[in-house]
Amino acid sequence: EHYPGLPEPIMQKLLKHDAYELDLLLSYPKAIKGQTDEYLEVFRKDGGAYLEEYQTPMLTWDEVKAMKGPGMAGLHDTTNLGPGDEEFPSGTYGYEGAEKDTDHSTLPSRGDGGLT
């Protein structure tokens, strides 16, 4: 709908994402548009051969929260802590705000039915 006639190298690059990542991109219109625009820019500037080898930079935690919107909750970004900084503000234990984040995933471990 937004990209009629998308060049084949860009379609192939998008389809090379693993299924989980592609599903995540397709779940958020801003994300798939941003990824497609990025690939288009690289393709136009450097060509298809470069695009094949191109690696998209990882999103920062702030970028993920901005993409997901105001309901996003979870752990604080600790990548820019300086000497003496607390990892979590006193009393938060990694949770933002007064309420604990209860939107957690349950992950299987070791295939024995146990949970992490």
Side-chain angles (χ1 to χ4, degrees):
E1 168 181 329
H2 296 287
Y3 299 98
L6 195 61
E8 185 67 22
I10 296 170
M11 282 297 295
Q12 291 304 314
K13 185 73 172 178
L14 288 168
L15 293 173
K16 284 184 180 179
H17 287 268
D18 67 48
Y20 175 76
E21 187 175 3
L22 187 56
D23 184 54
L24 183 64
L25 284 171
L26 292 170
S27 297
Y28 297 95
K30 282 182 179 179
I32 191 65
K33 181 180 183 328
Q35 186 66 79
T36 304
D37 289 345
E38 180 180 342
Y39 287 164
L40 275 168
E41 183 179 333
V42 169
F43 178 73
R44 289 179 182 140
K45 182 180 171 202
D46 300 307
Y50 182 80
L51 178 64
E52 283 184 43
E53 303 301 320
Y54 177 76
Q55 295 293 316
T56 300
M58 298 292 286
L59 291 175
T60 66
W61 181 242
D62 288 335
E63 289 170 324
V64 171
K65 289 191 299 187
M67 181 178 67
K68 288 192 164 213
M72 182 69 185
L75 299 176
H76 293 276
D77 179 4
T78 61
T79 56
N80 295 317
L81 290 180
D85 289 342
E86 288 185 66
E87 184 171 351
F88 304 117
S90 295
T92 65
Y93 304 104
Y95 296 102
E96 292 186 19
E99 295 184 27
K100 290 187 177 182
D101 175 10
T102 58
D103 185 21
H104 298 285
S105 295
T106 303
L107 303 173
S109 67
R110 300 182 315 272
D112 63 0
L115 301 176
T116 60

